[in-house]
Amino acid sequence: MPSHHLPLLLAAYQHKFGRDLQAMVRHLIDDVAVGWDELGTDLLDGAPPALITALTGGEQWPSSTLDHLITPDGSPPVRMTVTDDTADAQDMQWGYILHQHGIEVISAPHEGSGQLVDWTTDPRTNFSDHPAHWVPIAPAPIIQPAHAAPPRSAPAAATAQAGAPRHTNRR
């Protein structure tokens, strides 16, 4: 769901990968044998503590890959390749394509193309999870813009205050 995945991916690009799209692609796509079971807070490594708290409510969980799969015939699992033809069979509800200028978000009802969320978007931005809001010809469905970051001279207690966790289901 965009409300969960977009903040993690935006923060990972901006902090963990230092705005290096190729490093992010290697980590998320090239270095994974089959696919991802869950994206975790390890993608927030290097992010400011206040941002991490705002995105996770203080929770931590690891990313996990689909390494534990067992195929019906016992053969090794193969990389998941998603195309327009295979998305329905794989029960894909959302697609995220990493582009040079941002993340394209594709909802299942609008397969083929989606909306681009710029890499400079604040990860604290609240995005809609309703597929009808992600039509390709409209702007990204921001529910509420992120609040401006407190000034650097703000007391530590004020900087550490963050919104409540926005996710109930991390998948």
Side-chain angles (χ1 to χ4, degrees):
M1 298 211 143
S3 67
H4 172 70
H5 289 103
L6 278 174
L8 285 175
L9 293 169
L10 291 166
Y13 173 80
Q14 295 170 9
H15 299 285
K16 179 178 179 111
F17 299 105
R19 300 184 184 276
D20 182 345
L21 183 59
Q22 292 309 312
M24 187 171 177
V25 166
R26 273 191 307 277
H27 178 79
L28 292 174
I29 300 168
D30 298 341
D31 294 346
V32 177
V34 177
W36 290 96
D37 186 29
E38 181 170 15
L39 298 178
T41 56
D42 51 300
L43 289 177
L44 303 176
D45 290 352
L51 176 60
I52 295 170
T53 301
L55 297 181
T56 68
E59 291 183 54
Q60 291 187 348
W61 63 92
S63 293
S64 60
T65 58
L66 293 169
D67 296 337
H68 56 279
L69 293 178
I70 299 172
T71 61
D73 65 359
S75 64
V78 295
R79 177 182 286 275
M80 293 174 62
T81 302
V82 181
T83 67
D84 288 342
D85 297 331
T86 64
D88 286 339
Q90 293 180 17
D91 194 30
M92 301 298 295
Q93 299 300 312
W94 298 94
Y96 303 90
I97 301 174
L98 309 179
H99 294 283
Q100 194 64 37
H101 299 291
I103 305 170
E104 183 179 359
V105 180
I106 303 172
S107 67
H110 305 288
E111 59 189 59
S113 66
Q115 295 175 13
L116 191 71
V117 177
D118 193 277
W119 286 121
T120 61
T121 303
D122 188 317
R124 295 169 294 183
T125 301
N126 292 319
F127 294 97
S128 172
D129 287 334
H130 195 289
H133 293 164
W134 288 92
V135 294
I137 59 172
I142 296 172
I143 294 174
Q144 174 184 8
H147 299 296
R152 291 190 187 269
S153 61
T159 305
Q161 291 179 4
R166 294 189 326 246
H167 67 299
T168 56
N169 181 358
R170 291 189 295 253
R171 293 185 189 218

